[in-house]
């Protein structure tokens, strides 16, 4: 049976998942590559997570994405976890192997780096100090990816200082925690600023950060994609900084998952991006 003759199944498991754009992304790729299949939202409460994951092989699923609030808890159900995901402390993708075992990995870091390189092919992680705001799951994936890409110094800033200190101690290397009160002054020589918090997301307050001391040559990135341009990105663009929104990370983290499940590494096309942007408004 060829890939085009089989009916493929995958989905996204979380709670809530009804607003996820992942079905749109994978549905687009099913059509683009002539595959018959479905990518479905799976609204699973925490108490049913293990049973739902263990049911994937019997139901014929090739795998699923994992989103909030299950990214950490799902690791304990896996038969094997990728070393990078173990380092991050969370998974966002489950692959059902031919023998029915479950393999967990995390593609968020890959998606983040690809989104920046897609927008600015000349970008280099080793161009100078990088300031990262936040110390949650998104920060863990982004910081690990930046460190592996050669960032010489990563300044981690979070309102809860203990979380930043703990993450910096865990990762070591170029990562160091900086007190929230110093968030403006440490922008002086930064080559890049990354927001991994939910501040600036629709329904959330804007990020409390003045950009006056940030070099105009610095790249400003936000992993939020609703709205497409957060107040941080709008302020950065107005003063001349290059900016990258979170939509590219969402799309690019889906690519290795699609490949693991269906054997095809999909392309990011202008048509797909336009469809997603239109759905966000």
């Amino acid at each position: 049976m060829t890939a085009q003759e089989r009916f493929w199944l995958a989905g996204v498991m979380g709670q809530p998942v009804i607003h996820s754009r992942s079905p749109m992304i994978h549905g687009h790729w099913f059509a683009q590559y002539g595959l018959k299949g479905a990518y479905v939202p799976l609204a699973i409460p925490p108490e049913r997570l293990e049973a739902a994951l263990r049911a994937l092989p019997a139901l014929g699923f090739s795998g699923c994405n994992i989103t909030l609030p299950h990214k950490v808890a799902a690791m304990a159900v896996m038969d094997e976890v990728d070393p990078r995901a173990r380092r991050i402390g969370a998974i966002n993708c489950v692959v059902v192997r031919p023998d029915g075992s479950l393999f967990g990995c995390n593609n968020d870091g890959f998606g983040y780096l690809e989104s920046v390189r897609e927008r600015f092919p000349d970008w280099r992680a080793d161009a100078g100090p990088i300031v990262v705001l936040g110390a949650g799951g998104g920060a863990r994936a982004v910081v690990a990816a930046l460190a592996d890409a050669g960032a010489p110094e990563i300044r981690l800033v979070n309102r809860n200082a203990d979380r930043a200190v703990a993450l910096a101690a865990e990762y070591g290397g170029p990562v160091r925690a900086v007190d929230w009160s110093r968030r403006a002054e440490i922008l002086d020589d930064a080559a890049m600023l990354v927001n991994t918090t939910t501040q600036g997301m629709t329904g959330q307050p804007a990020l409390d950060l003045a950009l006056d001391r940030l070099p105009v040559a610095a790249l400003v990135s936000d992993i939020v994609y609703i709205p497409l341009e957060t107040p941080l990105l709008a302020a950065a663009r107005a003063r001349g900084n290059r900016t990258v929104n979170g939509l590219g990370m969402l799309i690019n983290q889906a690519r290795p998952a699609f490949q693991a499940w269906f054997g095809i590494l999909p392309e990011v096309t202008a048509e797909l991006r336009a469809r997603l942007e239109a759905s966000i408004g």
Side-chain angles (χ1 to χ4, degrees):
M1 183 181 297
T2 67
Q4 281 70 27
E5 292 172 329
R6 175 178 168 181
F7 190 88
W8 301 92
L9 271 176
V12 55
M13 194 174 293
Q15 191 183 48
V17 290
I18 193 64
H19 299 298
S20 173
R21 265 58 178 191
S22 291
M24 183 180 294
I25 294 171
H26 290 279
H28 179 91
W29 287 334
F30 277 139
Q32 181 178 341
Y33 295 102
L35 301 183
K36 298 180 180 68
Y39 181 101
V40 294
L42 301 166
I44 305 297
E47 65 271 18
R48 295 184 179 176
L49 176 63
E50 181 172 1
L53 286 168
R54 287 297 177 194
L56 291 174
L59 293 172
F61 276 73
S62 297
C64 71
N65 283 122
I66 300 292
T67 188
L68 297 175
H70 303 320
K71 287 189 173 188
V72 175
M75 289 182 65
V77 186
M78 297 298 103
D79 297 297
E80 184 181 349
V81 175
D82 175 78
R84 177 169 292 182
R86 184 75 67 185
R87 178 186 176 198
I88 293 170
I91 62 173
N92 81 331
C93 178
V94 175
V95 179
V96 177
R97 288 170 161 169
D99 64 358
S101 63
L102 304 178
F103 175 73
C105 53
N106 193 312
N107 300 319
D108 283 337
F110 169 85
Y112 178 73
L113 293 182
E114 286 297 295
S115 73
V116 178
R117 290 170 176 151
E118 182 180 75
R119 185 80 175 82
F120 300 108
D122 63 336
W123 173 81
R124 293 177 58 91
D126 61 1
I130 299 175
V131 176
V132 176
L133 306 170
R140 295 183 68 90
V142 168
V143 168
L146 290 171
D148 290 346
E153 181 183 356
I154 299 174
R155 300 165 184 168
L156 190 62
V157 193
N158 191 55
R159 287 183 180 275
N160 183 329
D162 290 344
R163 292 186 69 180
V165 169
L167 181 53
E170 180 183 341
Y171 277 16
V175 187
R176 67 182 181 91
V178 181
D179 191 85
W180 180 256
S181 64
R182 298 184 57 213
R183 64 192 182 282
E185 66 182 79
I186 61 170
L187 298 178
D188 281 344
D189 60 344
M192 187 175 188
L193 169 64
V194 187
N195 176 46
T196 70
T197 76
T198 58
Q199 289 185 295
M201 182 183 294
T202 298
Q204 299 291 323
L207 185 68
D208 180 18
L209 178 65
L211 300 180
D212 302 11
R213 300 175 68 162
L214 182 69
V216 175
L219 177 63
V220 180
S221 163
D222 201 323
I223 69 171
V224 169
Y225 64 89
I226 301 176
L228 289 169
E229 185 170 75
T230 61
L232 171 66
L233 295 184
R237 186 172 56 81
R239 65 193 301 274
N241 293 92
R242 299 185 299 171
T243 63
V244 181
N245 66 31
L247 186 59
M249 178 177 175
L250 175 70
I251 300 172
N252 279 286
Q253 63 80 31
R255 295 174 63 225
F258 194 89
Q259 182 180 36
W261 299 330
F262 312 126
I264 298 170
L265 182 63
E267 298 177 350
V268 180
T269 60
E271 180 186 359
L272 173 58
R273 186 176 291 274
R275 287 186 62 192
L276 290 164
E277 289 177 350
S279 77
I280 293 168

